[in-house]
CSV table of all heavy atoms in Angstrom, one decimal:
chain,number,residue,atom,x,y,z
A,28,MET,N,0.8,-1.2,0.0
A,28,MET,CA,0.0,0.0,0.0
A,28,MET,C,0.9,1.3,0.0
A,28,MET,O,0.5,2.2,-0.7
A,28,MET,CB,-0.9,0.0,1.2
A,28,MET,CG,-1.9,1.1,1.3
A,28,MET,SD,-3.1,0.8,0.0
A,28,MET,CE,-4.2,2.1,0.3
A,29,ARG,N,2.0,1.2,0.8
A,29,ARG,CA,2.9,2.4,0.8
A,29,ARG,C,3.5,2.6,-0.5
A,29,ARG,O,3.7,3.8,-0.9
A,29,ARG,CB,3.9,2.1,1.9
A,29,ARG,CG,4.8,3.3,2.1
A,29,ARG,CD,5.8,3.1,3.3
A,29,ARG,NE,6.5,4.3,3.6
A,29,ARG,CZ,7.7,4.5,3.2
A,29,ARG,NH1,8.4,3.6,2.5
A,29,ARG,NH2,8.3,5.6,3.6
A,30,ALA,N,3.8,1.6,-1.3
A,30,ALA,CA,4.4,1.8,-2.6
A,30,ALA,C,3.4,2.4,-3.5
A,30,ALA,O,3.8,3.2,-4.4
A,30,ALA,CB,4.8,0.4,-3.1
A,31,LYS,N,2.1,2.1,-3.4
A,31,LYS,CA,1.1,2.8,-4.3
A,31,LYS,C,1.1,4.3,-4.0
A,31,LYS,O,1.0,5.1,-4.9
A,31,LYS,CB,-0.2,2.2,-4.0
A,31,LYS,CG,-0.4,0.8,-4.7
A,31,LYS,CD,-1.9,0.4,-4.5
A,31,LYS,CE,-2.1,-1.0,-5.2
A,31,LYS,NZ,-3.5,-1.4,-5.1
A,32,TRP,N,1.1,4.7,-2.7
A,32,TRP,CA,1.0,6.1,-2.3
A,32,TRP,C,2.3,6.8,-2.8
A,32,TRP,O,2.2,7.9,-3.3
A,32,TRP,CB,0.9,6.2,-0.8
A,32,TRP,CG,-0.5,6.1,-0.3
A,32,TRP,CD1,-1.1,5.1,0.4
A,32,TRP,CD2,-1.6,7.0,-0.6
A,32,TRP,NE1,-2.4,5.3,0.6
A,32,TRP,CE2,-2.7,6.5,0.0
A,32,TRP,CE3,-1.7,8.3,-1.2
A,32,TRP,CZ2,-4.0,7.2,0.0
A,32,TRP,CZ3,-2.9,8.9,-1.2
A,32,TRP,CH2,-4.0,8.4,-0.6
A,33,LEU,N,3.4,6.2,-2.6
A,33,LEU,CA,4.7,6.8,-3.1
A,33,LEU,C,4.7,7.0,-4.6
A,33,LEU,O,5.1,8.0,-5.1
A,33,LEU,CB,5.9,6.0,-2.6
A,33,LEU,CG,6.2,6.1,-1.1
A,33,LEU,CD1,7.4,5.2,-0.8
A,33,LEU,CD2,6.6,7.5,-0.8
A,34,ALA,N,4.2,6.0,-5.3
A,34,ALA,CA,4.1,6.1,-6.8
A,34,ALA,C,3.1,7.2,-7.2
A,34,ALA,O,3.4,7.9,-8.1
A,34,ALA,CB,3.7,4.8,-7.4
A,35,PHE,N,2.1,7.3,-6.4
A,35,PHE,CA,1.1,8.4,-6.7
A,35,PHE,C,1.7,9.8,-6.5
A,35,PHE,O,1.5,10.7,-7.3
A,35,PHE,CB,-0.2,8.2,-5.8
A,35,PHE,CG,-1.2,9.2,-6.0
A,35,PHE,CD1,-2.0,9.2,-7.2
A,35,PHE,CD2,-1.5,10.2,-5.0
A,35,PHE,CE1,-3.0,10.2,-7.3
A,35,PHE,CE2,-2.4,11.1,-5.2
A,35,PHE,CZ,-3.2,11.1,-6.4
A,36,TRP,N,2.4,10.0,-5.3
A,36,TRP,CA,2.9,11.3,-5.0
A,36,TRP,C,4.1,11.6,-5.9
A,36,TRP,O,4.5,12.8,-6.0
A,36,TRP,CB,3.3,11.3,-3.5
A,36,TRP,CG,2.1,11.6,-2.7
A,36,TRP,CD1,1.5,10.7,-1.9
A,36,TRP,CD2,1.3,12.8,-2.6
A,36,TRP,NE1,0.4,11.2,-1.3
A,36,TRP,CE2,0.3,12.5,-1.7
A,36,TRP,CE3,1.5,14.0,-3.1
A,36,TRP,CZ2,-0.6,13.5,-1.3
A,36,TRP,CZ3,0.5,15.0,-2.8
A,36,TRP,CH2,-0.5,14.7,-1.9
A,37,HIS,N,4.8,10.7,-6.5
A,37,HIS,CA,5.9,11.0,-7.3
A,37,HIS,C,5.6,11.3,-8.8
A,37,HIS,O,6.4,11.6,-9.6
A,37,HIS,CB,6.9,9.8,-7.3
A,37,HIS,CG,7.7,9.8,-6.0
A,37,HIS,ND1,8.7,10.7,-5.7
A,37,HIS,CD2,7.7,9.0,-4.9
A,37,HIS,CE1,9.2,10.5,-4.5
A,37,HIS,NE2,8.6,9.4,-4.0
A,38,GLN,N,4.3,11.3,-9.1
A,38,GLN,CA,3.9,11.7,-10.4
A,38,GLN,C,4.0,13.2,-10.5
A,38,GLN,O,3.7,14.0,-9.5
A,38,GLN,CB,2.4,11.3,-10.7
A,38,GLN,CG,2.2,9.9,-10.8
A,38,GLN,CD,0.7,9.5,-11.0
A,38,GLN,OE1,-0.1,10.4,-11.1
A,38,GLN,NE2,0.4,8.2,-11.1
A,39,PRO,N,4.5,13.8,-11.5
A,39,PRO,CA,4.8,15.2,-11.6
A,39,PRO,C,3.6,16.1,-11.4
A,39,PRO,O,3.7,17.1,-10.7
A,39,PRO,CB,5.4,15.4,-13.0
A,39,PRO,CG,5.9,14.1,-13.4
A,39,PRO,CD,5.0,13.1,-12.7
A,40,VAL,N,2.5,15.8,-11.9
A,40,VAL,CA,1.3,16.6,-11.8
A,40,VAL,C,0.8,16.6,-10.3
A,40,VAL,O,0.5,17.7,-9.8
A,40,VAL,CB,0.2,16.1,-12.7
A,40,VAL,CG1,-1.1,16.9,-12.5
A,40,VAL,CG2,0.6,16.3,-14.2
A,41,VAL,N,0.8,15.5,-9.7
A,41,VAL,CA,0.3,15.4,-8.3
A,41,VAL,C,1.3,16.1,-7.4
A,41,VAL,O,0.9,16.8,-6.5
A,41,VAL,CB,0.2,13.9,-7.9
A,41,VAL,CG1,-0.2,13.8,-6.5
A,41,VAL,CG2,-0.9,13.2,-8.8
A,42,ALA,N,2.6,15.9,-7.6
A,42,ALA,CA,3.6,16.6,-6.8
A,42,ALA,C,3.5,18.1,-7.0
A,42,ALA,O,3.5,18.9,-6.0
A,42,ALA,CB,5.0,16.1,-7.2
A,43,PHE,N,3.3,18.6,-8.2
A,43,PHE,CA,3.1,20.0,-8.4
A,43,PHE,C,1.9,20.6,-7.7
A,43,PHE,O,2.0,21.6,-7.0
A,43,PHE,CB,3.1,20.3,-9.9
A,43,PHE,CG,2.8,21.8,-10.2
A,43,PHE,CD1,3.8,22.7,-10.1
A,43,PHE,CD2,1.6,22.2,-10.6
A,43,PHE,CE1,3.6,24.0,-10.4
A,43,PHE,CE2,1.3,23.5,-10.9
A,43,PHE,CZ,2.4,24.4,-10.8
A,44,ILE,N,0.8,19.9,-7.8
A,44,ILE,CA,-0.4,20.4,-7.2
A,44,ILE,C,-0.3,20.3,-5.7
A,44,ILE,O,-0.7,21.3,-4.9
A,44,ILE,CB,-1.7,19.6,-7.7
A,44,ILE,CG1,-1.9,19.9,-9.1
A,44,ILE,CG2,-2.9,19.8,-6.8
A,44,ILE,CD1,-3.0,19.0,-9.8
A,45,GLY,N,0.3,19.3,-5.1
A,45,GLY,CA,0.5,19.2,-3.7
A,45,GLY,C,1.4,20.3,-3.1
A,45,GLY,O,1.1,20.9,-2.1
A,46,TRP,N,2.6,20.5,-3.8
A,46,TRP,CA,3.5,21.5,-3.3
A,46,TRP,C,2.9,22.9,-3.5
A,46,TRP,O,3.1,23.8,-2.6
A,46,TRP,CB,4.8,21.5,-4.0
A,46,TRP,CG,5.7,20.3,-3.5
A,46,TRP,CD1,6.0,19.2,-4.2
A,46,TRP,CD2,6.2,20.2,-2.2
A,46,TRP,NE1,6.8,18.4,-3.4
A,46,TRP,CE2,6.9,19.0,-2.2
A,46,TRP,CE3,6.2,21.0,-1.1
A,46,TRP,CZ2,7.6,18.6,-1.1
A,46,TRP,CZ3,6.9,20.6,0.1
A,46,TRP,CH2,7.6,19.4,0.1
A,47,THR,N,2.1,23.1,-4.5
A,47,THR,CA,1.5,24.4,-4.7
A,47,THR,C,0.4,24.7,-3.6
A,47,THR,O,0.4,25.8,-3.1
A,47,THR,CB,0.8,24.5,-6.1
A,47,THR,OG1,1.8,24.3,-7.1
A,47,THR,CG2,0.1,25.8,-6.3
A,48,ALA,N,-0.4,23.7,-3.3
A,48,ALA,CA,-1.4,23.9,-2.2
A,48,ALA,C,-0.7,24.1,-0.9
A,48,ALA,O,-1.1,24.9,-0.1
A,48,ALA,CB,-2.3,22.6,-2.2
A,49,PHE,N,0.4,23.4,-0.7
A,49,PHE,CA,1.2,23.5,0.6
A,49,PHE,C,1.7,24.9,0.8
A,49,PHE,O,1.5,25.6,1.8
A,49,PHE,CB,2.3,22.5,0.6
A,49,PHE,CG,3.2,22.6,1.8
A,49,PHE,CD1,2.8,22.2,3.0
A,49,PHE,CD2,4.5,23.1,1.6
A,49,PHE,CE1,3.7,22.3,4.1
A,49,PHE,CE2,5.4,23.2,2.7
A,49,PHE,CZ,5.0,22.8,3.9
A,50,TYR,N,2.4,25.5,-0.3
A,50,TYR,CA,2.9,26.8,-0.2
A,50,TYR,C,1.8,27.9,-0.2
A,50,TYR,O,2.0,28.9,0.4
A,50,TYR,CB,3.9,27.1,-1.3
A,50,TYR,CG,5.2,26.4,-1.1
A,50,TYR,CD1,5.7,25.4,-1.9
A,50,TYR,CD2,6.0,26.7,0.0
A,50,TYR,CE1,6.9,24.8,-1.7
A,50,TYR,CE2,7.2,26.1,0.2
A,50,TYR,CZ,7.6,25.1,-0.6
A,50,TYR,OH,8.8,24.5,-0.4
A,51,PHE,N,0.7,27.6,-0.8
A,51,PHE,CA,-0.4,28.5,-0.7
A,51,PHE,C,-1.0,28.6,0.7
A,51,PHE,O,-1.3,29.7,1.1
A,51,PHE,CB,-1.6,28.1,-1.7
A,51,PHE,CG,-2.7,29.0,-1.7
A,51,PHE,CD1,-2.7,30.2,-2.4
A,51,PHE,CD2,-3.9,28.6,-1.1
A,51,PHE,CE1,-3.8,31.1,-2.4
A,51,PHE,CE2,-5.0,29.5,-1.1
A,51,PHE,CZ,-4.9,30.7,-1.7
A,52,VAL,N,-1.1,27.5,1.4
A,52,VAL,CA,-1.6,27.5,2.7
A,52,VAL,C,-0.6,28.3,3.6
A,52,VAL,O,-1.0,29.1,4.5
A,52,VAL,CB,-1.8,26.1,3.3
A,52,VAL,CG1,-2.0,26.1,4.8
A,52,VAL,CG2,-2.9,25.5,2.5
A,53,ILE,N,0.7,28.1,3.4
A,53,ILE,CA,1.7,28.9,4.2
A,53,ILE,C,1.6,30.3,3.9
A,53,ILE,O,1.6,31.2,4.8
A,53,ILE,CB,3.1,28.3,3.9
A,53,ILE,CG1,3.3,26.9,4.5
A,53,ILE,CG2,4.2,29.3,4.5
A,53,ILE,CD1,4.6,26.3,4.2
A,54,LEU,N,1.5,30.7,2.7
A,54,LEU,CA,1.3,32.1,2.3
A,54,LEU,C,0.1,32.8,2.9
A,54,LEU,O,0.1,33.9,3.4
A,54,LEU,CB,1.3,32.3,0.8
A,54,LEU,CG,1.3,33.7,0.2
A,54,LEU,CD1,2.5,34.4,0.6
A,54,LEU,CD2,1.1,33.7,-1.3
A,55,MET,N,-1.0,32.0,2.9
A,55,MET,CA,-2.2,32.6,3.5
A,55,MET,C,-2.1,32.7,5.0
A,55,MET,O,-2.6,33.7,5.6
A,55,MET,CB,-3.4,31.7,3.1
A,55,MET,CG,-3.9,31.8,1.6
A,55,MET,SD,-4.4,33.4,1.2
A,55,MET,CE,-3.1,34.0,0.2
A,56,ALA,N,-1.4,31.8,5.6
A,56,ALA,CA,-1.2,31.9,7.1
A,56,ALA,C,-0.4,33.1,7.4
A,56,ALA,O,-0.6,33.8,8.4
A,56,ALA,CB,-0.6,30.6,7.6
A,57,LEU,N,0.7,33.4,6.6
A,57,LEU,CA,1.5,34.6,6.8
A,57,LEU,C,0.7,35.8,6.6
A,57,LEU,O,0.9,36.8,7.3
A,57,LEU,CB,2.7,34.5,5.9
A,57,LEU,CG,3.8,33.4,6.3
A,57,LEU,CD1,4.8,33.4,5.2
A,57,LEU,CD2,4.3,33.7,7.6
A,58,VAL,N,-0.1,35.9,5.6
A,58,VAL,CA,-0.9,37.1,5.3
A,58,VAL,C,-1.9,37.3,6.5
A,58,VAL,O,-2.1,38.4,6.9
A,58,VAL,CB,-1.7,36.9,4.0
A,58,VAL,CG1,-2.7,38.0,3.8
A,58,VAL,CG2,-0.7,37.0,2.8
A,59,TYR,N,-2.5,36.2,7.0
A,59,TYR,CA,-3.4,36.3,8.1
A,59,TYR,C,-2.7,36.8,9.3
A,59,TYR,O,-3.2,37.7,10.0
A,59,TYR,CB,-4.1,35.0,8.4
A,59,TYR,CG,-4.9,35.0,9.6
A,59,TYR,CD1,-6.1,35.6,9.7
A,59,TYR,CD2,-4.4,34.3,10.8
A,59,TYR,CE1,-6.9,35.6,10.8
A,59,TYR,CE2,-5.1,34.3,11.9
A,59,TYR,CZ,-6.4,35.0,12.0
A,59,TYR,OH,-7.1,35.0,13.1
A,60,LEU,N,-1.5,36.3,9.6
A,60,LEU,CA,-0.8,36.7,10.8
A,60,LEU,C,-0.3,38.2,10.6
A,60,LEU,O,-0.3,38.9,11.6
A,60,LEU,CB,0.4,35.8,11.0
A,60,LEU,CG,0.1,34.4,11.5
A,60,LEU,CD1,1.3,33.6,11.6
A,60,LEU,CD2,-0.6,34.5,12.9
A,61,TYR,N,0.0,38.6,9.5
A,61,TYR,CA,0.4,40.0,9.3
A,61,TYR,C,-0.7,40.9,9.5
A,61,TYR,O,-0.6,42.0,10.1
A,61,TYR,CB,1.0,40.2,7.8
A,61,TYR,CG,1.4,41.6,7.6
A,61,TYR,CD1,2.6,42.1,8.1
A,61,TYR,CD2,0.6,42.4,6.7
A,61,TYR,CE1,3.0,43.4,7.8
A,61,TYR,CE2,1.0,43.7,6.5
A,61,TYR,CZ,2.2,44.2,7.0
A,61,TYR,OH,2.5,45.5,6.8
A,62,GLY,N,-1.9,40.5,9.0
A,62,GLY,CA,-3.1,41.4,9.2
A,62,GLY,C,-3.5,41.4,10.6
A,62,GLY,O,-4.1,42.4,11.2
A,63,TYR,N,-3.3,40.3,11.3
A,63,TYR,CA,-3.7,40.2,12.7
A,63,TYR,C,-2.8,41.0,13.7
A,63,TYR,O,-3.2,41.4,14.7
A,63,TYR,CB,-3.7,38.7,13.2
A,63,TYR,CG,-4.1,38.5,14.6
A,63,TYR,CD1,-5.4,38.6,15.0
A,63,TYR,CD2,-3.2,38.1,15.5
A,63,TYR,CE1,-5.8,38.4,16.3
A,63,TYR,CE2,-3.5,37.9,16.8
A,63,TYR,CZ,-4.8,38.0,17.2
A,63,TYR,OH,-5.2,37.8,18.5
A,64,SER,N,-1.6,41.2,13.3
A,64,SER,CA,-0.6,41.9,14.1
A,64,SER,C,-0.9,43.3,14.3
A,64,SER,O,-0.5,43.9,15.3
A,64,SER,CB,0.8,41.7,13.6
A,64,SER,OG,0.9,42.4,12.3
A,65,GLY,N,-1.7,43.9,13.4
A,65,GLY,CA,-2.1,45.3,13.6
A,65,GLY,C,-1.0,46.3,13.4
A,65,GLY,O,-0.9,47.3,14.1
A,66,LEU,N,-0.1,46.0,12.5
A,66,LEU,CA,1.1,46.9,12.3
A,66,LEU,C,0.6,48.3,11.7
A,66,LEU,O,1.2,49.3,12.0
A,66,LEU,CB,2.1,46.3,11.3
A,66,LEU,CG,2.9,45.1,11.9
A,66,LEU,CD1,3.7,44.5,10.8
A,66,LEU,CD2,3.7,45.6,13.0
A,67,ASN,N,-0.4,48.3,11.0
A,67,ASN,CA,-0.9,49.5,10.4
A,67,ASN,C,-1.8,50.3,11.3
A,67,ASN,O,-2.1,51.5,11.0
A,67,ASN,CB,-1.7,49.2,9.1
A,67,ASN,CG,-0.8,48.6,8.0
A,67,ASN,OD1,0.4,48.8,8.0
A,67,ASN,ND2,-1.4,47.7,7.2
A,68,ASN,N,-2.3,49.7,12.4
A,68,ASN,CA,-3.2,50.4,13.3
A,68,ASN,C,-2.5,51.2,14.4
A,68,ASN,O,-3.2,51.9,15.1
A,68,ASN,CB,-4.2,49.4,13.9
A,68,ASN,CG,-5.0,48.7,12.8
A,68,ASN,OD1,-5.2,49.3,11.7
A,68,ASN,ND2,-5.5,47.5,13.1
A,69,SER,N,-1.2,51.0,14.6
A,69,SER,CA,-0.6,51.6,15.7
A,69,SER,C,-0.1,53.0,15.3
A,69,SER,O,0.1,53.3,14.2
A,69,SER,CB,0.6,50.8,16.2
A,69,SER,OG,1.6,50.7,15.1
A,70,THR,N,0.0,53.9,16.4
A,70,THR,CA,0.5,55.2,16.1
A,70,THR,C,2.0,55.2,16.1
A,70,THR,O,2.7,54.3,16.7
A,70,THR,CB,0.1,56.2,17.2
A,70,THR,OG1,0.5,55.7,18.5
A,70,THR,CG2,-1.5,56.3,17.3
A,71,PHE,N,2.6,56.1,15.5
A,71,PHE,CA,4.1,56.2,15.4
A,71,PHE,C,4.6,56.6,16.7
A,71,PHE,O,4.1,57.5,17.4
A,71,PHE,CB,4.4,57.2,14.3
A,71,PHE,CG,5.9,57.2,14.0
A,71,PHE,CD1,6.5,56.1,13.5
A,71,PHE,CD2,6.7,58.4,14.1
A,71,PHE,CE1,7.9,56.1,13.2
A,71,PHE,CE2,8.0,58.4,13.8
A,71,PHE,CZ,8.6,57.2,13.3
A,72,ILE,N,5.6,56.0,17.2
A,72,ILE,CA,6.1,56.1,18.6
A,72,ILE,C,6.6,57.5,18.9
A,72,ILE,O,6.5,58.0,20.0
A,72,ILE,CB,7.1,55.0,18.9
A,72,ILE,CG1,7.4,55.0,20.4
A,72,ILE,CG2,8.4,55.2,18.1
A,72,ILE,CD1,8.2,53.8,20.9
A,73,TYR,N,7.2,58.2,17.9
A,73,TYR,CA,7.8,59.5,18.1
A,73,TYR,C,6.8,60.7,18.0
A,73,TYR,O,7.2,61.8,18.0
A,73,TYR,CB,9.0,59.7,17.2
A,73,TYR,CG,10.1,58.7,17.5
A,73,TYR,CD1,10.4,57.7,16.6
A,73,TYR,CD2,10.8,58.7,18.7
A,73,TYR,CE1,11.4,56.8,16.8
A,73,TYR,CE2,11.8,57.8,19.0
A,73,TYR,CZ,12.1,56.8,18.0
A,73,TYR,OH,13.0,55.9,18.3
A,74,ASN,N,5.5,60.4,17.8
A,74,ASN,CA,4.5,61.5,17.6
A,74,ASN,C,4.3,62.2,18.9
A,74,ASN,O,4.0,63.4,18.9
A,74,ASN,CB,3.2,60.9,17.1
A,74,ASN,CG,3.2,60.7,15.7
A,74,ASN,OD1,4.1,61.1,15.0
A,74,ASN,ND2,2.2,59.9,15.2
A,75,GLU,N,4.6,61.6,20.1
A,75,GLU,CA,4.3,62.3,21.3
A,75,GLU,C,5.5,63.2,21.8
A,75,GLU,O,5.4,64.0,22.7
A,75,GLU,CB,4.0,61.3,22.4
A,75,GLU,CG,2.6,60.8,22.4
A,75,GLU,CD,2.5,59.5,21.5
A,75,GLU,OE1,3.5,58.8,21.5
A,75,GLU,OE2,1.4,59.3,20.9
A,76,PHE,N,6.6,63.1,21.1
A,76,PHE,CA,7.8,64.0,21.6
A,76,PHE,C,7.7,65.3,20.9
A,76,PHE,O,7.3,65.6,19.9
A,76,PHE,CB,9.1,63.3,21.2
A,76,PHE,CG,9.3,62.0,22.0
A,76,PHE,CD1,9.3,60.8,21.4
A,76,PHE,CD2,9.5,62.1,23.3
A,76,PHE,CE1,9.5,59.6,22.1
A,76,PHE,CE2,9.7,60.9,24.1
A,76,PHE,CZ,9.7,59.7,23.5
């Protein structure tokens, strides 16, 4: 059974779609975390001086 899965994942089309989905999920997680951090909502630290 393991040999069938390895043969399936080593097909170029399946590997390309799998890696593309994997990196897309990572990219979306980074975009979500960047938006959640609130970098654009904070005031500039030197405005009070």
Side-chain angles (χ1 to χ4, degrees):
M28 186 69 177
R29 185 172 189 261
K31 284 185 179 182
W32 278 108
L33 286 177
F35 178 73
W36 280 107
H37 284 288
Q38 293 178 359
V40 173
V41 176
F43 176 76
I44 292 172
W46 284 113
T47 302
F49 175 72
Y50 284 116
F51 180 75
V52 168
I53 290 176
L54 182 65
M55 289 297 108
L57 289 174
V58 167
Y59 172 75
L60 290 174
Y61 179 75
Y63 180 73
S64 67
L66 290 175
N67 297 328
N68 298 334
S69 63
T70 58
F71 190 59
I72 192 170
Y73 297 112
N74 280 347
E75 282 92 28
F76 291 114

